[in-house]
Amino acid sequence: MGIALCFVPLILAIVIFTTGYKLKLTHQLIAVFLGLIAVLPISFIQFFLPELPGIGFSPILHALLKSLLLYGLVEELFKTLILIFLPKKNLTEACESREFLQLAFVAGLALGCFESVVYYFDHLQIANSRGATLLYGQIAVRIFTSDIIHMMCTGLCGLFIYSCRNKPTRVSFLIVAVLLHGVYDFFAGFAGNIRWFSVAVVLMAIAECRIKYTSLQNNDEQRA
């Protein structure tokens, strides 16, 4: 039951994009596969990357730098690399930017959902001792926070790739994705009420993705 719950956002996204937007299912499955592939190098690097030196840094600044470099920069760079292999042929010409963004969303959700599965297994024993309901509640929280931040930041990376192919290149899209992801993990790492500031970062990521997508659309219209 827990594993199925982890993949609910991904399944819903695929159903909505397939039925509501006529996005090809085969393209979405490729995006899922790419999202799962990205988990391996990201996890490997995050596990073996040496700890940042704490000399001259306060604990809070050290935590912020670690979040920006380890979770922001590393993850978003690898996600950007795998998005290069997203299908770009046979996309609807009039909706190319939207469809590419949706495929990036699917890849980001696949990565986020797989991370939730890993989280589920890591905490299963603890959850059994405390009651499984607690773990399901934590997974539900991840659906509305971690999964969404992965989805939006990967979307921004996808828009960056799209801009590279259609000019002008918007490097700021990638920078924003790195910063948002890093700041999100910084706040999410706290144990107290300050961790709920991560929700504000999630909302900001949604807004940024919408703004950046609209700017690309306007650029496409001017070029046409």
Side-chain angles (χ1 to χ4, degrees), residues 76-88 96-97 100-101 104 153-171 173-174 216:
E76 298 312 320
L77 283 181
F78 267 97
K79 285 193 288 185
T80 300
L81 289 175
I82 64 104
L83 292 181
I84 294 174
F85 301 99
L86 280 178
K88 56 181 180 294
E96 185 179 2
S97 60
F100 197 81
L101 174 62
C153 288
T154 309
L156 288 168
C157 294
L159 292 176
F160 165 69
I161 294 295
Y162 180 84
S163 73
C164 290
R165 291 171 176 166
N166 296 276
K167 308 298 180 185
T169 301
R170 308 292 181 86
V171 180
F173 291 11
L174 178 59
L216 275 185

Side-chain angles (χ1 to χ4, degrees), residues 161-204:
I161 294 295
Y162 180 84
S163 73
C164 290
R165 291 171 176 166
N166 296 276
K167 308 298 180 185
T169 301
R170 308 292 181 86
V171 180
S172 61
F173 291 11
L174 178 59
I175 294 174
V176 170
V178 170
L179 292 176
L180 286 171
H181 195 159
V183 173
Y184 165 81
D185 273 288
F186 170 71
F187 284 119
F190 285 90
N193 290 331
I194 194 173
R195 70 179 304 176
W196 293 108
F197 278 101
S198 61
V199 176
V201 181
V202 171
L203 296 176
M204 189 181 301

Side-chain angles (χ1 to χ4, degrees), residues 68 81 123 134 143 204:
L68 289 173
L81 289 175
H123 292 77
L134 176 62
I143 289 174
M204 189 181 301

Side-chain angles (χ1 to χ4, degrees), residues 15-176:
V15 170
I16 292 172
F17 292 155
T18 303
T19 59
Y21 294 93
K22 308 303 179 184
L23 190 62
K24 291 186 178 181
L25 180 59
T26 52
H27 287 178
Q28 294 183 73
L29 293 178
I30 292 173
V32 170
F33 179 69
L34 291 174
L36 294 180
I37 286 179
V39 174
L40 299 177
I42 288 173
S43 300
F44 181 84
I45 289 179
Q46 289 179 350
F47 183 79
F48 288 103
L49 194 70
E51 183 70 19
L52 289 175
I55 300 177
F57 295 127
S58 68
I60 292 180
L61 181 57
H62 183 270
L64 178 59
L65 288 175
K66 179 180 179 181
S67 295
L68 289 173
L69 293 176
L70 190 59
Y71 302 110
L73 185 62
V74 170
E75 285 201 31
E76 298 312 320
L77 283 181
F78 267 97
K79 285 193 288 185
T80 300
L81 289 175
I82 64 104
L83 292 181
I84 294 174
F85 301 99
L86 280 178
K88 56 181 180 294
K89 294 182 178 179
N90 301 321
L91 296 180
T92 307
E93 184 175 355
C95 307
E96 185 179 2
S97 60
R98 189 203 70 205
E99 292 183 353
F100 197 81
L101 174 62
Q102 289 172 337
L103 290 175
F105 281 162
V106 172
L109 272 177
L111 190 152
C113 291
F114 187 81
E115 279 192 356
S116 294
V117 172
V118 174
Y119 173 90
Y120 174 81
F121 282 116
D122 283 346
H123 292 77
L124 185 59
Q125 186 174 0
I126 298 175
N128 286 335
S129 65
R130 295 180 179 178
T133 304
L134 176 62
L135 182 59
Y136 292 150
Q138 291 171 336
I139 292 175
V141 170
R142 286 182 62 87
I143 289 174
F144 292 102
T145 54
S146 179
D147 286 355
I148 293 180
I149 200 71
H150 275 297
M151 180 180 179
M152 293 300 125
C153 288
T154 309
L156 288 168
C157 294
L159 292 176
F160 165 69
I161 294 295
Y162 180 84
S163 73
C164 290
R165 291 171 176 166
N166 296 276
K167 308 298 180 185
T169 301
R170 308 292 181 86
V171 180
S172 61
F173 291 11
L174 178 59
I175 294 174
V176 170

